[in-house]
Amino acid sequence: MPKGRLHMSENWIKMTIFAGEITKSDMRKIMKKLIKNVVLATALTAVSAEVNAGLAFDPTKGTEGKMEMYDGSEVKYRAFEKLYYVENVEDSTYQYLNVYVPEGATQKTPIFLRTYVGGYMASAASQPQAGDASGRALKEGYVVVIPGTRGRNSTIVADKAYSKAHKGVKNGETVWTGRAPKAIIDLKAAVRYLRHFDAVMAGDAERIVTDGTSAGGAMSSLLGATGNNPLYEPYLDAMGAAKERDDVFASVCYCPIIDLEHADMAYEWVYGGTKSRQGMDESHRTLSAELAMKYGEYIDGLKMVKPDGSALTAENYRDYMKEEIIRGAQIAKNAGAAIPDTLGFEFSQSVGGMFAAPLNGGMRGSFKPMGGEKKQIPGGRQGMPPLGGQQGEYITDIDMATYLDYVVSTQPLKTVPAFDSLIEGVNQGSGENEEFGDDKGSSVNFTEFTAAKNNSEVTAEVAANVRLMNPMSFLNDANTTVAGHWYIRHGSRDRDTAFPVPINFATKLRNAGKDVNFLLAWNRPHSGDYALDELFEWIAEIVK
Ligand code: DHB
């Protein structure tokens, strides 16, 4: 039963009676409301009767299940699967969500919403995985929700009814159902569904923590950054999403692929000078330089402030980026990681002598246990003098050229431009070109820069979609409810998007007064759901 509505009716009835002003018409209204509430109370699946007759949730329909964790423990849960979250389902393979309620969860338990979107592809709702954050969330006692979403590759074949309802679509024609901004619209509809049935479903829809990686990190960040923004409303309306709010409490974003309209510039601004870029042909080097040139102006336009209160500008940005990489590496060093000087790091002078860490992060090649024989250390550096070349406690500097060459050595860079593509046409450009394509399966340019190089333009429709897919668009928007808590991670050797993309996002959120836990996580490649002990400590703290 929608608590809010029933309470409102009760209050209204109480207030009317209390005021001693009952007229015949009031009495009729009271009777009508009472009857309606009784009807609602007796038909659990009809909770949505008032505005969303096509949505249903039956709390008696759960099935028992269990998940085995790696420590041998078992988590028992009730599963509610295949809950369609819109009235007008277009793609029945994806537009539903699964809910897992662990033993002991109540109405007040926070909800962990994990999206498995990757590469902007469609993703079907699945079960929690013991090895990732979904399984860990269940083990921690949170209600886990996994929505499916349409994506750039999802298609249906139009039948008669569909072609009748959609102008320009022929019977039997293939329709791409999930091009931008459909994935985020689906996720918003899922959040609205959870709110709609909040009173009859375990878990607290006012405390939803979203989580995703890469394109899924983008989705998680969009859920957090675009709450209740009216620009999404027409889509949600047309889909028959629940008429509810769609803001969330917190968002966990691993390596979010966001700010696509500036990501190409950021990429060349960072990697333009690296060896691999210098090895490119003349035309690509020119493109790289042109893109890089544009980024400084963008940085300054963001009007960002560093944690110490000073302005973050194009002039000091490279130093700040360095400080952020060092911060991540220092945390890892403190925890015992080897930080090799060969990657460009410099260290404070070691007074500790033999007790300081070996340079290069290497270990001594051998050791001699007391009273035992000399042994080789697996992976140890043969022939390394035991006490030679020690590093001090602090990382004091980093040579960025050396460091970036290291990053690139772990995975080759994307081409120029990194996201928008010079090649246009179906199945030729990047995943992002497909993402912004239309329901006929086209691929399109989405940045002014690359469109101009291709002698085309970004249409108003594509530009609107680009905006809807960028959480940066809404951080200071009066019509938007931005989540209060953010956990953002980007690996310090992740080259899928350049470091300034997550740095800017975290900084803008912080500057907007949000609680932001951000780190360029030492030596992590493009990946997510890591350091789960730390993540779940953070979650426990914010939901306390
Ligand atoms: C993903 C990775 C990319 O490099 C990209 O451009 C888009 C999405 C991903 O892993 O989801």
Side-chain angles (χ1 to χ4, degrees), residues 70 117 136 158 189 198 213 271 380 386 420 472 498 530 537:
Y70 287 105
V117 169
R136 178 61 180 267
D198 197 21
T213 296
Y271 292 110
D420 201 353
M472 294 287 281
Y530 47 71
E537 264 171 44

Short mmCIF file of all heavy atoms in Angstrom, two decimals, residues 70 117 136 158 189 198 213 271 380 386 420 472 498 530 537:
data_model
loop_
_atom_site.label_atom_id
_atom_site.label_comp_id
_atom_site.label_asym_id
_atom_site.label_seq_id
_atom_site.Cartn_x
_atom_site.Cartn_y
_atom_site.Cartn_z
N TYR A 70 32.83 -16.91 -1.04
CA TYR A 70 34.13 -17.55 -1.15
C TYR A 70 34.69 -17.99 0.19
O TYR A 70 35.58 -18.83 0.25
CB TYR A 70 35.11 -16.64 -1.89
CG TYR A 70 34.78 -16.60 -3.36
CD1 TYR A 70 34.16 -15.49 -3.92
CD2 TYR A 70 35.02 -17.70 -4.16
CE1 TYR A 70 33.82 -15.47 -5.26
CE2 TYR A 70 34.67 -17.69 -5.50
CZ TYR A 70 34.07 -16.56 -6.05
OH TYR A 70 33.73 -16.56 -7.37
N VAL A 117 25.63 -2.85 -17.03
CA VAL A 117 25.90 -2.26 -18.34
C VAL A 117 27.41 -2.22 -18.54
O VAL A 117 28.17 -1.84 -17.64
CB VAL A 117 25.34 -0.82 -18.43
CG1 VAL A 117 25.85 -0.13 -19.69
CG2 VAL A 117 23.82 -0.84 -18.43
N ARG A 136 28.58 -9.25 -2.44
CA ARG A 136 29.05 -8.70 -1.17
C ARG A 136 27.94 -7.90 -0.48
O ARG A 136 27.76 -7.98 0.75
CB ARG A 136 30.27 -7.83 -1.43
CG ARG A 136 30.84 -7.16 -0.21
CD ARG A 136 31.32 -8.20 0.83
NE ARG A 136 31.85 -7.52 1.99
CZ ARG A 136 33.13 -7.24 2.16
NH1 ARG A 136 34.02 -7.60 1.25
NH2 ARG A 136 33.54 -6.61 3.24
N ALA A 158 9.88 -5.51 -35.49
CA ALA A 158 8.56 -4.88 -35.33
C ALA A 158 7.46 -5.80 -35.85
O ALA A 158 7.59 -6.38 -36.93
CB ALA A 158 8.54 -3.56 -36.09
N ALA A 189 13.49 4.32 -14.68
CA ALA A 189 12.19 3.66 -14.53
C ALA A 189 12.28 2.59 -13.43
O ALA A 189 11.34 2.42 -12.64
CB ALA A 189 11.75 3.05 -15.85
N ASP A 198 7.59 0.76 -2.63
CA ASP A 198 8.45 0.82 -1.44
C ASP A 198 7.76 0.27 -0.19
O ASP A 198 8.38 -0.42 0.61
CB ASP A 198 8.88 2.28 -1.21
CG ASP A 198 10.08 2.37 -0.28
OD1 ASP A 198 10.78 1.35 -0.14
OD2 ASP A 198 10.29 3.43 0.32
N THR A 213 30.29 -0.12 -13.46
CA THR A 213 31.67 0.02 -13.92
C THR A 213 31.71 0.43 -15.38
O THR A 213 30.97 -0.13 -16.19
CB THR A 213 32.41 -1.33 -13.74
OG1 THR A 213 32.48 -1.63 -12.35
CG2 THR A 213 33.83 -1.26 -14.30
N TYR A 271 47.56 12.34 -23.31
CA TYR A 271 48.42 11.36 -23.98
C TYR A 271 49.08 11.89 -25.25
O TYR A 271 49.86 11.18 -25.88
CB TYR A 271 47.62 10.10 -24.31
CG TYR A 271 47.22 9.35 -23.06
CD1 TYR A 271 45.89 9.31 -22.63
CD2 TYR A 271 48.18 8.70 -22.29
CE1 TYR A 271 45.52 8.63 -21.48
CE2 TYR A 271 47.83 8.02 -21.13
CZ TYR A 271 46.50 7.99 -20.74
OH TYR A 271 46.17 7.32 -19.60
N GLY A 380 61.99 -12.63 -6.70
CA GLY A 380 63.01 -11.72 -6.16
C GLY A 380 64.03 -11.37 -7.24
O GLY A 380 64.17 -12.09 -8.22
N PRO A 386 71.68 -6.55 -1.39
CA PRO A 386 70.64 -6.53 -0.37
C PRO A 386 70.34 -5.14 0.18
O PRO A 386 69.20 -4.81 0.41
CB PRO A 386 71.19 -7.42 0.73
CG PRO A 386 72.33 -8.15 0.16
CD PRO A 386 72.76 -7.45 -1.09
N ASP A 420 34.76 9.69 -30.33
CA ASP A 420 34.04 9.94 -31.57
C ASP A 420 34.97 9.47 -32.69
O ASP A 420 36.18 9.44 -32.53
CB ASP A 420 33.75 11.45 -31.72
CG ASP A 420 32.60 11.70 -32.67
OD1 ASP A 420 32.13 10.73 -33.31
OD2 ASP A 420 32.17 12.86 -32.79
N MET A 472 27.82 15.43 -16.06
CA MET A 472 28.39 16.76 -15.85
C MET A 472 27.37 17.86 -16.18
O MET A 472 27.50 18.98 -15.69
CB MET A 472 29.63 16.96 -16.73
CG MET A 472 30.81 16.07 -16.39
SD MET A 472 31.64 16.53 -14.87
CE MET A 472 32.63 17.92 -15.43
N ALA A 498 40.70 9.46 -20.12
CA ALA A 498 41.86 10.12 -19.50
C ALA A 498 41.54 10.57 -18.07
O ALA A 498 40.38 10.85 -17.74
CB ALA A 498 42.30 11.31 -20.34
N TYR A 530 36.36 -3.38 -7.01
CA TYR A 530 37.54 -3.83 -6.26
C TYR A 530 37.59 -3.16 -4.88
O TYR A 530 36.82 -2.25 -4.61
CB TYR A 530 38.83 -3.59 -7.04
CG TYR A 530 39.00 -2.22 -7.65
CD1 TYR A 530 39.24 -1.09 -6.88
CD2 TYR A 530 38.94 -2.07 -9.04
CE1 TYR A 530 39.42 0.15 -7.45
CE2 TYR A 530 39.12 -0.82 -9.63
CZ TYR A 530 39.36 0.29 -8.83
OH TYR A 530 39.52 1.51 -9.40
N GLU A 537 32.77 -0.57 3.81
CA GLU A 537 32.93 0.27 5.02
C GLU A 537 32.35 1.65 4.75
O GLU A 537 31.68 2.24 5.60
CB GLU A 537 34.42 0.43 5.36
CG GLU A 537 34.90 -0.56 6.40
CD GLU A 537 36.41 -0.51 6.56
OE1 GLU A 537 36.97 0.62 6.60
OE2 GLU A 537 37.02 -1.59 6.63
#
